[in-house]
Amino acid sequence: MNDSVSLPTWTKLAKRLFYFAVQSGGSFDIDYEVKDPTDKVLLDGVRERQGDYVLTANTVGEYAFCFENDMSTLTEKLLDFDIMVESEPRREPPAKPGQIAEQTSALEESVFRLNGMLLNIKRTQKYFHTRENRGFDVVKSTVNRLFWYAVLESLAVVGMAFVQVYVLQTFFTKTGRRYKV
């Protein structure tokens, strides 16, 4: 593949969220491959517009994310790419004097829930950003097509005017002699 991204070493059985979306360029499609440290292909896709996957790291090491744009080599593509940790082990904070462990765990649970909700909002915003970019590209394409349609239509009207003048002139000419109107 043309472009690849290697990530820091993952721990075994860690879950990672892998998200990508083509923001602009061509038909908004790209080929991709995800390989583990032993070069085994975990995920692959051809002509995909976007993807949202959960990967489990079964092997410790660097994972490669490869993207390929061979089907439209003349068109550059802008790709939104994100990898998030889903199940990271929690660190135990040092115990403070006079602090109750139950209150700390309830507070931590609230923080983790809020973090999950914020990540969900972030993903939703990325989705809407992708939709906005694709919609804008469709609008630009439509405006361009309307412009050329209007130019061709204007040329057709002018051409028809010349044809009508020629036809009318041929009606009023008789074997080399013209009648004046």
Side-chain angles (χ1 to χ4, degrees):
M1 297 265 164
N2 293 341
D3 300 321
S4 65
V5 177
S6 292
L7 298 177
T9 304
W10 286 359
T11 58
K12 200 166 189 178
L13 297 178
K15 286 194 176 186
R16 304 292 188 247
L17 299 170
F18 164 55
Y19 165 81
F20 75 92
V22 180
Q23 297 291 325
S24 66
S27 299
F28 298 103
D29 55 352
I30 200 160
D31 299 343
Y32 71 94
E33 241 180 30
V34 179
K35 295 181 182 180
D36 69 359
T38 62
D39 281 339
K40 177 184 170 191
V41 176
L42 298 176
L43 289 172
D44 64 345
V46 177
R47 300 182 62 94
E48 295 285 333
R49 291 177 168 220
Q50 65 186 35
D52 198 3
Y53 305 100
V54 176
L55 299 173
T56 303
N58 293 326
T59 309
V60 176
E62 291 184 4
Y63 285 70
F65 295 81
C66 306
F67 296 96
E68 186 175 58
N69 188 23
D70 280 344
M71 60 261 185
S72 59
T73 55
L74 300 177
T75 306
E76 285 189 10
K77 303 218 174 158
L78 177 65
L79 185 72
D80 186 18
F81 176 74
D82 194 17
I83 296 176
M84 290 185 284
V85 178
E86 183 184 70
S87 58
E88 186 175 0
R90 297 182 185 178
R91 291 182 283 181
E92 294 295 325
K96 296 181 182 176
Q99 190 176 27
I100 301 173
E102 294 170 1
Q103 292 174 346
T104 304
S105 65
L107 180 63
E108 283 179 348
E109 287 299 321
S110 297
V111 168
F112 281 115
R113 245 182 319 179
L114 285 174
N115 185 36
M117 286 188 265
L118 287 174
L119 287 176
N120 197 10
I121 290 170
K122 181 181 174 185
R123 292 176 81 82
T124 304
Q125 284 179 330
K126 282 185 178 188
Y127 171 75
F128 285 128
H129 181 69
T130 301
R131 292 286 304 262
E132 178 186 11
N133 284 342
R134 290 181 184 169
F136 184 69
D137 193 61
V138 168
V139 168
K140 283 192 322 188
S141 172
T142 303
V143 166
N144 191 24
R145 288 179 185 179
L146 285 174
F147 170 76
W148 287 110
Y149 177 77
V151 167
L152 289 174
E153 187 179 32
S154 299
L155 291 174
V157 168
V158 170
M160 285 302 288
F162 282 119
V163 168
Q164 287 176 352
V165 167
Y166 176 74
V167 168
L168 283 175
Q169 277 184 344
T170 58
F171 281 152
F172 293 106
T173 57
K174 187 175 187 184
T175 62
R177 199 171 127 193
R178 287 192 156 177
Y179 296 109
K180 290 192 176 190
V181 182

